[in-house]
Amino acid sequence: MEHIIFKYFPELTEQQKESFLTMLNLYPEWNAKINVISRKDIENLEINHLLHSLAIAKFIKFTDGSRVMDFGTGGGLPGLPLAVLFPNVHFHLIDRTGKKLLVAQEIAKAAGLSNVSFQHGDVAECKEKFDFVVSRAVMPQPDLLKICRKNLSAEQRNALPNGLITLKGGDIAAEMRPLKSRSEIIDISQYFTEPFFDTKKIAYTSAN
């Protein structure tokens, strides 16, 4: 069976394909023990979770050497799929729930990812600097910017100014209004044709 991820990312190496297959096998196993994905949605793992995470890679190709924080990563989304796609970019995954972070760590290890680090706790305790903060529907964009602004580096190395890149659903116009002058909303349906993506968006806000 041809996997949908492979269709949208035809340039994947054999090693990257193996890493994604490992995730497709392991997430359901772990989810039976520790709930990181809604039980009724685990059968849609490839499209609704892994491919959804990879929409960020259609929006931006991170420059080698970039550093990206995944805020509120849960079981490792969107950070781990992005780490497979960008082996020369470092991903730092933060979550307050230790059990979920454990799942992310075990899956990262099984998938052979050496470009990820993990932090259990609050982002306030993180003093590191990053080019981007990514997140999947954790909180409204203005609130997230307030919390993470201190972690965004002033040094520019990507085509896009450093900032927040988040995955959202539904109508986010009101949420984004306070940040309108430095934000962009992208329909994920322009990248992926599956019906799940009809209402899904990427919200990008530059740090300054």
Side-chain angles (χ1 to χ4, degrees), residues 83-104:
V84 173
L85 217 56
F86 297 105
N88 299 315
V89 173
H90 185 82
F91 291 85
H92 185 62
L93 281 57
I94 298 182
D95 204 273
R96 285 180 178 169
T97 309
K99 283 192 306 191
K100 290 184 176 182
L101 209 57
L102 170 75
V103 175

Side-chain angles (χ1 to χ4, degrees), residues 173-193:
E175 173 190 331
M176 297 299 291
R177 203 164 287 130
L179 305 171
K180 197 170 178 197
S181 62
R182 51 186 164 136
S183 293
E184 205 180 325
I185 299 170
I186 298 94
D187 291 321
I188 295 178
S189 58
Q190 68 181 346
Y191 305 133
F192 306 138
T193 57

Side-chain angles (χ1 to χ4, degrees), residues 191-203:
Y191 305 133
F192 306 138
T193 57
E194 286 68 24
F196 171 76
F197 299 109
D198 289 351
T199 58
K200 297 292 183 274
K201 314 264 195 289
I202 290 171

Side-chain angles (χ1 to χ4, degrees), residues 117-129:
S117 52
F118 300 89
Q119 181 183 330
H120 176 218
D122 200 282
V123 74
E125 299 154 13
C126 181
K127 305 289 184 264
E128 295 176 53
K129 296 282 187 188

